Amino acid sequence: MLITFSDFTSIPVLWLQIASAAIWVLLILLIAWMVNRFANEPEIVRKIVHIGTGNVILLAWWLDIPASVGITASILASAITLLSYRLPILPGINSVGRQSLGTFFYSVSFGILVAWFWYLQQPQYAALGILVMTWGDGLAALIGQRFGKNKYKVFGTVKSWEGSLTMMLVSYLVCSLILVGTQGNAWQTWAISLMVAVIATALEAFSFLGMDNLTVPLGSATVAFFLSQLVLNY
C-alpha cells in the first residue's frame, strides 16, 4: 500500500519530532557500530557518538521538541550509559583505557540544559553549551592525540597545547555562529564568544574523570547566558 502525504499529516506533530531525533541518533549509532566492527578504532567510535549525537540538540531546538521529551531522553540515556560501564550494552564507546564517567555526564548535561533553557524560552543557550562540548572537546581530543606534541599535565592527566588550542578555536566558532545568529552582529557578541571559549577551554583542561562533559556545557551555557543578559539589558 502506498503511503500518501495525507498519511503523514495525520500523525501528531510530537511523534514526528520524536521520530526525527530518534532516526538521527540511530543513524549515528549505526555508523559507530560499523566503524567499531570493521576498523577497530575505539576512540574514533567514541568521537563519532560524541559529536554525532550531540547535534541532536539542534533538531530539538529547530523542531521545538518539548522539554519533557529531552529530559526523558536524557534520563534514559544516563541510565543506559551507567549500565554500559558494567555490561556490554554500548561496546566500544567506553573502552578507551581509562576510568571515566564522561558519557554519563554528557547525557546528564543534556537534560539539565534542556530543562533550564527551554523553561526560559532561550533554547539557543542549551544548544551552545552542548555544541561547545560536542565539537570543541570532540575535535580537541582527536587533534591532540594525532598531532599533540607539546604536552602539559593537569591533575595527573596529560593534555596538549594543540588540543587546547583546537578546543578554544572551535568553541569560539560555535559560540559566534549561535550568538550572532540569535543576537545580531555586534562587537559585544564576539567578545562574549571569546570569553566563553576561554572559559570552556579552561574547564576542559582542569576537569578529570570525564567531568568536562558536565562542566564544559553547563559552564559555557551559563557564561553565555548571563553575559548576554548583562550586555543586552545594560
Side-chain angles (χ1 to χ4, degrees):
M1 180 181 295
L2 293 176
I3 299 176
T4 64
F5 179 76
S6 61
D7 294 324
F8 286 103
T9 57
S10 65
I11 301 175
V13 173
L14 176 61
W15 287 109
L16 290 175
Q17 293 171 324
I18 295 174
S20 298
I23 289 172
W24 175 261
V25 172
L26 289 174
L27 177 62
I28 296 301
L29 292 178
L30 176 61
I31 294 172
W33 177 82
M34 292 178 64
V35 172
N36 185 59
R37 181 178 178 84
F38 297 108
N40 192 27
E41 291 282 351
E43 187 63 18
I44 298 296
V45 170
R46 284 189 71 252
K47 294 311 172 186
I48 289 174
V49 175
H50 181 94
I51 295 174
T53 57
N55 288 295
V56 78
I57 192 68
L58 290 175
L59 286 176
W61 175 18
W62 295 339
L63 298 177
D64 195 23
I65 292 177
S68 58
V69 174
I71 295 169
T72 300
S74 171
I75 293 172
L76 291 175
S78 299
I80 292 172
T81 52
L82 276 181
L83 286 174
S84 73
Y85 290 101
R86 295 284 183 178
L87 304 172
I89 298 174
L90 301 174
I93 292 180
N94 296 315
S95 56
V96 294
R98 62 178 184 268
Q99 288 191 340
S100 170
L101 290 173
T103 311
F104 169 71
F105 289 135
Y106 194 32
S107 302
V108 170
S109 67
F110 189 97
I112 293 174
L113 289 176
V114 167
W116 181 8
F117 290 108
W118 256 247
Y119 174 76
L120 295 178
Q121 297 184 345
Q122 300 282 348
Q124 67 269 25
Y125 295 107
L128 185 151
I130 293 297
L131 292 179
V132 164
M133 188 67 220
T134 294
W135 287 99
D137 180 72
L139 293 178
L142 291 176
I143 296 297
Q145 290 170 8
R146 299 287 174 135
F147 306 104
K149 296 181 180 180
N150 300 288
K151 309 290 186 179
Y152 65 97
K153 185 176 292 188
V154 179
F155 297 135
T157 301
V158 177
K159 304 281 186 177
S160 73
W161 288 109
E162 291 84 355
S164 293
L165 180 60
T166 300
M167 175 72 184
M168 185 178 297
L169 292 176
V170 174
S171 297
Y172 180 68
L173 179 61
V174 167
C175 293
S176 298
L177 289 173
I178 293 177
L179 294 182
V180 169
T182 56
Q183 298 175 181
N185 184 10
W187 71 266
Q188 293 94 333
T189 299
W190 298 100
I192 291 172
S193 298
L194 179 59
M195 182 66 69
V196 171
V198 170
I199 291 175
T201 303
L203 289 172
E204 193 278 333
F206 285 91
S207 298
F208 54 93
L209 297 179
M211 281 291 294
D212 55 332
N213 283 340
L214 186 65
T215 60
V216 169
L218 295 186
S220 300
T222 300
V223 171
F225 174 70
F226 283 109
L227 287 181
S228 295
Q229 296 303 304
L230 181 64
V231 169
L232 295 177
N233 295 301
Y234 68 93

